[in-house]
Amino acid sequence: MYQLLSTLQGARDAVISLSFSTPTKFVAAAGYGGVTVWNLSTSSAVSIPSNVYNPRNPGYIYTACNFLHFEQADQYILLLGSQDGMFSTLKWDGEDHVFNPGFQIKPDDSRYQVVSLDVYQTEVPTGKLARVVVATADSRIAVYSLSSSLEVKKIYAIFIEEFSPLAARFCTRTRDVYVFEQTGGGILQLDDKSGEIKSHQSFGPDPMGTICMDESSKYFVACTGKAFEMFRLDTIEYVRRFDSGPPVVLFPKVSTFAENGNILVGGTDSGRAIVFDVSSGAQIQQLDYPKGGLVQPVAACTIEDGFLVAIAGSTLEHPADVLIFKQALISPSTASKDTPATVNFFHHLRRKGSLGHYFLLTLCILLAMNGLHSFVLTCTPLVRGSLNSPHYTILVYANIFPCLGSVLTQRAYVDDATCRVHGLTP
């Protein structure tokens, strides 16, 4: 179960977007109060000299945020999208411990808000450039490459007629961009190099309030107003529903996959976020927000010893807190007396879900079978004595456990001649 780890204060108004950095050093909250970043090791806010609080100016209302980390330069970059259509960055200065402003890209012809901002990889490998997709409310989709020194280059930008984009998300398998329509059920697949439309599906959920995709890009979850619903990305096949109860207002809430895709965390308008089991759709836990009201944004990440989830308040004209919850990995060293070690082990396997863990599970089963085999062989003299017939005993074992026949015949239970009578090799 998730336990409250810390309560981060400092956001002066409703939070719209949350983002963890990778590695997990910072968490950022963006919204009507501007942008606030906390250092997770100290739970203290980090200085941002350019931060302005003006909830009446669209240029200082941030609708999207996302972290990048460049492995080679150990450089943290925070990407921001504003209500007036500005795409900008903040760059971490490790010496002065501040986030300084980077570049700002102004909209070409209009000042429609940034509705979506996504990155291909949050952790950028050595020798690689980051890739960012920005969608604005005037049906424009732009993809940029970005270096650790904030050199930005536009890869492509397109305008989609008669299409109202809600979100643009990278496919982790192909680098193609999928664009989801707010109303109408449209889903476009854009080529990763040119932006040409490779496919156009028109039977997605309608309406869509928010979108999240799992790490494998096989599934996406849409907030459809009354619930979260999961679909297969390639076929738009309906999978299941995650029901959080009747909403107070039909306001879009954010959802995110967590724990390697095993759970889904979704916001509500009733002072809490809800943790769902992805395989069944059942509610696992409620994460309470003490101030109540709308909890629109959620975020999740994996750390070395467990998993983190962040939620934040989104009630206008009220200071917001960001709550960090932690689910620790269960291991034999941390298991309680009331929880058997085997239960913790299999729980750990389920959380990880990798091929290596399934191999370990198979190995454990084989070892258990080997122990049963040894037990059977140990009890054989007792069974033989009760039956008072060694010939009958070996015949029973040979027929029930053919794979053990050769082993049994090497024991001193029967002689050479008896084995040959029953067609066994001593």
Side-chain angles (χ1 to χ4, degrees), residues 12-90:
R12 290 174 285 185
D13 212 320
V15 175
I16 301 175
S17 179
L18 288 169
S19 178
F20 283 106
S21 69
T22 304
T24 314
K25 182 174 182 177
F26 303 107
V27 63
Y32 283 84
V35 58
T36 309
V37 181
W38 293 268
N39 187 320
L40 288 171
S41 62
T42 62
S43 297
S44 59
V46 178
S47 176
I48 305 176
S50 61
N51 196 27
V52 176
Y53 175 51
N54 188 349
R56 291 178 175 81
N57 186 335
Y60 300 112
I61 300 174
Y62 296 103
T63 54
C65 68
N66 221 320
F67 263 109
L68 279 173
H69 179 257
F70 289 86
E71 182 181 41
Q72 184 173 13
D74 191 24
Q75 181 64 64
Y76 293 90
I77 306 292
L78 180 60
L79 310 174
L80 297 167
S82 71
Q83 201 173 71
D84 71 346
M86 191 77 70
F87 169 43
S88 60
T89 59
L90 294 174

Side-chain angles (χ1 to χ4, degrees), residues 22-259:
T22 304
T24 314
K25 182 174 182 177
F26 303 107
V27 63
Y32 283 84
V35 58
T36 309
V37 181
W38 293 268
N39 187 320
L40 288 171
S41 62
T42 62
S43 297
S44 59
V46 178
S47 176
I48 305 176
S50 61
N51 196 27
V52 176
Y53 175 51
N54 188 349
R56 291 178 175 81
N57 186 335
Y60 300 112
I61 300 174
Y62 296 103
T63 54
C65 68
N66 221 320
F67 263 109
L68 279 173
H69 179 257
F70 289 86
E71 182 181 41
Q72 184 173 13
D74 191 24
Q75 181 64 64
Y76 293 90
I77 306 292
L78 180 60
L79 310 174
L80 297 167
S82 71
Q83 201 173 71
D84 71 346
M86 191 77 70
F87 169 43
S88 60
T89 59
L90 294 174
K91 185 176 181 179
W92 172 244
D93 186 334
E95 293 184 1
D96 295 332
H97 302 285
V98 298
F99 272 98
N100 291 316
F103 66 76
Q104 291 185 332
I105 297 179
K106 297 181 179 180
D108 296 330
D109 302 318
S110 61
R111 301 181 70 84
Y112 286 83
Q113 79 172 39
V114 174
V115 296
S116 171
L117 193 157
D118 191 34
V119 297
Y120 175 61
Q121 292 173 306
T122 55
E123 176 77 11
V124 184
T126 300
K128 298 291 185 180
L129 298 175
R131 188 168 274 226
V132 184
V133 58
V134 181
T136 51
D138 58 342
S139 304
R140 298 177 188 274
I141 310 295
V143 174
Y144 303 91
S145 65
L146 179 65
S147 70
S148 60
S149 59
L150 298 185
E151 295 178 2
V152 61
K153 179 181 178 182
K154 184 185 294 184
I155 298 175
Y156 66 79
I158 65 170
F159 174 78
I160 308 173
E161 295 183 0
E162 299 181 359
F163 193 93
S164 177
L166 162 72
R169 297 284 184 264
F170 280 108
C171 174
T172 57
R173 291 173 283 121
T174 64
R175 285 204 314 188
D176 288 346
V177 171
Y178 283 82
V179 186
F180 300 83
E181 190 174 23
Q182 186 171 2
T183 58
I187 301 175
L188 302 179
Q189 181 183 0
L190 307 181
D191 182 80
D192 73 309
K193 296 182 178 63
S194 65
E196 294 182 1
I197 298 175
K198 296 173 68 172
S199 69
H200 185 177
Q201 308 277 9
S202 58
F203 47 90
D206 184 15
M208 290 185 272
T210 59
I211 291 291
C212 75
M213 290 171 59
D214 73 327
E215 293 181 1
S216 67
S217 296
K218 292 182 179 179
Y219 303 96
F220 72 91
V221 171
C223 176
T224 57
K226 297 182 179 180
F228 297 103
E229 297 184 26
M230 185 165 73
F231 299 81
R232 295 185 184 277
L233 182 62
D234 52 353
T235 62
I236 321 300
E237 175 188 355
Y238 175 82
V239 178
R240 67 181 49 87
R241 174 188 176 104
F242 304 92
D243 200 345
S244 57
V248 179
V249 293
L250 296 179
F251 197 85
K253 290 86 178 176
V254 178
S255 64
T256 185
F257 285 93
E259 298 187 28

Side-chain angles (χ1 to χ4, degrees), residues 362-403:
T362 304
L363 181 61
C364 289
I365 294 173
L366 291 175
L367 289 174
M369 291 178 64
N370 182 65
L372 179 61
H373 169 210
S374 300
F375 175 78
V376 170
L377 292 181
T378 303
C379 294
T380 298
L382 297 176
V383 176
R384 184 191 62 181
S386 63
L387 294 175
N388 199 24
S389 174
H391 307 292
Y392 179 76
T393 301
I394 190 60
L395 183 60
V396 169
Y397 275 97
N399 285 304
I400 297 179
F401 304 107
C403 61

Side-chain angles (χ1 to χ4, degrees), residues 269-299:
D269 51 20
S270 53
R272 64 180 60 89
I274 298 179
V275 181
F276 299 93
D277 180 80
V278 168
S279 61
S280 66
Q283 291 191 19
I284 299 176
Q285 186 181 358
Q286 295 185 355
L287 307 178
D288 292 329
Y289 181 71
K291 291 185 176 181
L294 178 63
V295 177
Q296 183 188 17
V298 297

